[in-house]
Amino acid sequence: MAKRCEICGRGPATGHAVSHSHILTKRRWMPNIHKIRAEVGGSVRRIRVCARCLKAGKVKRAL
């Protein structure tokens, strides 16, 4: 499953996990993606949306 929001395009962010001894290892921060039924262009579709877009009201859920 794609870890990308279909509304804002938000995807995984990369960086380093920093240990106490400052040894850097690669890590990823995943967006909080939900699969929801939403009205898109007048029709109901199942889309992947991040929690930030859901809370902001950028998506209208289908009943």
Side-chain angles (χ1 to χ4, degrees), residues 12-16 27-29:
T14 58
H16 289 104
R27 65 156 291 181
R28 291 172 72 174
W29 286 270

Side-chain angles (χ1 to χ4, degrees), residues 14-36:
T14 58
H16 289 104
V18 183
S19 70
H20 177 70
S21 61
H22 206 74
I23 294 172
L24 305 179
T25 55
K26 290 183 179 178
R27 65 156 291 181
R28 291 172 72 174
W29 286 270
M30 295 297 196
N32 188 2
I33 300 290
H34 294 268
K35 216 174 184 182
I36 65 162

Side-chain angles (χ1 to χ4, degrees), residues 42-57:
S43 63
V44 175
R45 279 184 45 208
R46 194 171 286 276
I47 61 173
R48 294 181 192 95
V49 182
C50 67
R52 186 188 289 180
C53 288
L54 279 173
K55 286 174 74 173

